[in-house]
Structure formats: structure tokens, C-alpha cells
Amino acid sequence: YDISVIGDATISDATLDTLFIAEAFDLVRVNTETGGIFMLDANAGLAGVIEITARDFNAVTDAAFADIQGLSIADIDARLANSDGVDRPDGILRADTLDIDTTASQVFIQNTVAGTDFADRRGFDVNTLLISDSGGTVQPIVINGLIGGVAGIDTIPLADIMSTFDAASTINGCLIGNVASCSPIIINPITPVNPVAPNDDSRDLIEEGLDPEEGPGTLSFGAGLLEYLPDAEFGAEPLIDEPVTGAGNEDLWVDPDCPSGADPEICVVEPAE
């Protein structure tokens, strides 16, 4: 026999010891469009225990239930991310503790809001989540919701899963066995060291050019990158200060005092002995 929850089952004024049990031989299913199980104290806070025992547990819409039959766990995860238009941010299972024991197989809880990012998803809202498989099988788990007010991938280490779950199992769209695959990679931008901000003076110098008659001075580029000095600052130092090992072609040596227009042959300077 199966149990189907098609309306809201609400227990008010519950205490931590209040227990709601749903036990079926085959399937316990909550229709997320119309049904829900809520264990609340006098202040509408989470209280009591929802205990579910069945071969399978599904909290999904009629459409999703039909679609997921025979799908892989990865495809079921993708399908149950879609809320089918349901918008129930408080979820459809609320209690201090949710204890699910499937005797053979699956635990599926569909997202109950439009958002599909890890932290946006809803479905259950509990302080403690227990999942076990007394049948000893490899258990497929695809669930969405909050644990202790925590959302997204941070719920995964808070879930107490006592079964051998399928490797493709997810909580809030992230692989239970590989949380690191869902963590964002943050690359720090490179910040320039001592960035130089252009100023009006530097722009004028670039556009108008430099006037050597204005004398020596320092051009301001915010960090003193360039310094302008006139030619006179270099003095009369020789351009070559290393020993010269060759005299060149002696036939071309010419007396610097040779009159202009004179025959070059009479102005040849004889090399020193």
C-alpha cells in the first residue's frame, strides 16, 4: 500500500517530542502542489519529528513523478530542480527533525521555488535531517531544502546520511560526494602598483612637444618617469672614452687647417712615426 499526502497536514503547538509517522509498504508521496507536513510549536517555530518509513519517498508534483520514472539520477536531479510553477518558499516538510528510512531505494524532494541556484532552492525546512536505508541498497538521493536555516551547498555536511548513497546523489543540486565541484573559483584581479594618473601638464607636453630653449626641468607624470636635460648638460666629454686600436685609412687623413677648395693631395697629413 501507498500513502499520498495531497493536502496540508499541520500539527500546531508541537513539542520536540511530538511525533508524526507515515509508514507504507511501498511509497510515501507528498504532492508539492497541494500537500505538506508541518510540525510547528505555539510560535510557529520548527518542532517535533516527521518519521517516514517506506520503500521509496517522493515529494514531487504529479508531472515530475511521471517524468522521472526510468531516468538516471543525474536526469532526475535536473528535472526536480524545476518547481513546475510551485512557489512555496517555506517548503512542504517542516519540523525540528525529518527522519527518512527507505527500505529499498529512493529519496526525492523537488525544489518548491522558481530559483534553481544552489542557495535558492527550497523543499524542506528542518533543524536535523536523517536519511537511512535499512534495506542496505545503494540509495539514490535527490533533495532540496534547508537544514538549520542553512541553504545551498552548505547544507550537505549538516545532513546525517547513514546509507550508501548513489554517487550521483545531490542536495540542492550539488553532488553529496563532491561538494568541491560546486564551489566557485575566485580569481583576484591584478591591481596596478603605483598607477600613474595623467595630468593636464603631461598631456600638453605630449601634444605640443618639448622646447629645448626653456632650459632644464623635470616633467611631472605623477611619478617622475622622465627627466629632460639640455645638450649642454652633457659637457664636452668625448663620445668615445675607450682606447682606439686602429687608425683607419691613412690616405684619407686631411689637415683640418687646409684652405677651403685647396687640392686635397697637398693637405695630406703624414702619420707620426
Side-chain angles (χ1 to χ4, degrees):
Y1 61 91
D2 297 342
I3 294 176
S4 294
V5 181
I6 58 175
D8 289 344
T10 303
I11 298 179
S12 302
D13 297 328
T15 68
L16 293 178
D17 296 326
T18 304
L19 182 62
F20 181 97
I21 299 176
E23 183 174 358
F25 181 79
D26 290 317
L27 173 68
V28 170
R29 183 183 157 214
V30 179
N31 187 324
T32 61
E33 293 179 287
T34 60
I37 303 173
F38 308 103
M39 302 282 284
L40 306 174
D41 61 21
N43 298 314
L46 303 178
V49 179
I50 298 174
E51 185 176 295
I52 296 172
T53 303
R55 185 194 64 196
D56 300 317
F57 174 66
N58 287 188
V60 298
T61 65
D62 289 340
F65 183 73
D67 288 344
I68 63 177
Q69 303 306 313
L71 294 183
S72 67
I73 305 303
D75 289 338
I76 291 172
D77 171 70
R79 178 61 182 87
L80 297 187
N82 183 348
S83 71
D84 292 325
V86 172
D87 187 14
R88 303 180 72 177
D90 292 334
I92 44 80
L93 297 164
R94 303 188 69 205
D96 178 66
T97 299
L98 175 59
D99 186 354
I100 302 172
D101 179 17
T102 60
T103 58
S105 192
Q106 55 195 231
V107 178
F108 298 152
I109 302 175
Q110 188 174 1
N111 183 22
T112 60
V113 294
T116 58
D117 289 345
F118 300 135
D120 292 341
R121 301 186 185 206
R122 298 294 184 268
F124 60 86
D125 183 6
V126 300
N127 290 324
T128 301
L129 176 63
L130 308 173
I131 298 178
S132 57
D133 181 6
S134 57
T137 61
V138 176
Q139 187 176 39
I141 299 172
V142 176
I143 59 176
N144 297 277
L146 306 175
I147 301 177
V150 175
I153 63 176
D154 293 332
T155 60
I156 294 177
L158 302 178
D160 190 352
I161 301 175
M162 294 166 281
S163 63
T164 301
F165 55 83
D166 188 283
S169 296
T170 64
I171 296 180
N172 289 324
C174 181
L175 290 172
I176 298 172
N178 189 10
V179 180
S181 66
C182 305
S183 301
I185 299 174
I186 300 175
I187 301 176
N188 293 325
I190 299 174
T191 302
V193 178
N194 296 326
V196 177
N199 54 43
D200 292 338
D201 292 339
S202 61
R203 182 171 297 280
D204 290 342
L205 288 168
I206 292 171
E207 293 178 351
E208 299 174 6
L210 303 177
D211 184 358
E213 298 299 328
E214 293 181 358
T218 300
L219 307 182
S220 174
F221 281 81
L225 297 179
L226 301 175
E227 185 177 6
Y228 162 69
L229 295 173
D231 294 343
E233 289 294 313
F234 293 100
E237 295 295 328
L239 297 179
I240 301 176
D241 58 4
E242 295 293 331
V244 178
T245 59
N249 188 342
E250 297 176 356
D251 293 337
L252 298 179
W253 288 6
V254 178
D255 186 346
D257 296 328
C258 185
S260 177
D263 185 351
E265 293 185 3
I266 66 172
C267 295
V268 174
V269 179
E270 296 295 332
E273 295 294 338

